[in-house]
Amino acid sequence: MDIKFGFADTSRELVIRVAGEQDAYLKQVNDALANNTQLEIEDEKGKKFIVRTDRVVYVELGSSSQHQVGFAGV
């Protein structure tokens, strides 16, 4: 699943690919935004991210779909 953060005053986004349930991350993000605290997230490869929530404009949580590559014989 991908978590995409949009920040104020910049057109760049931060996309973190995580393993786990969407509802658990949704609660974690909502709590951090409501309390204006830092958000700590670990990605699929074990890298840790600390996101300051005071500049977050939007967060998009969703399943990343696997793109098929190549040709399929019918």
Side-chain angles (χ1 to χ4, degrees):
M1 176 181 72
D2 289 341
I3 302 175
K4 184 186 299 184
F5 294 91
F7 298 97
D9 302 327
T10 183
S11 60
R12 296 202 50 151
E13 298 172 327
L14 172 64
V15 179
I16 304 172
R17 179 161 289 184
V18 296
E21 294 296 319
Q22 183 177 17
D23 291 336
Y25 284 105
L26 181 62
K27 182 179 179 341
Q28 185 179 3
V29 169
N30 276 331
D31 290 345
L33 290 172
N35 298 322
N36 199 22
T37 59
Q38 294 185 102
L39 179 62
E40 297 181 21
I41 298 177
E42 185 173 337
D43 73 357
E44 288 180 334
K45 296 180 181 180
K47 289 195 282 185
K48 296 186 183 201
F49 295 84
I50 298 173
V51 180
R52 288 181 45 199
T53 58
D54 59 341
R55 304 295 293 166
V56 173
V57 177
Y58 67 90
V59 179
E60 181 180 311
L61 285 94
S63 298
S64 58
S65 60
Q66 298 293 328
H67 300 286
Q68 294 182 349
V69 177
F71 298 97
V74 184

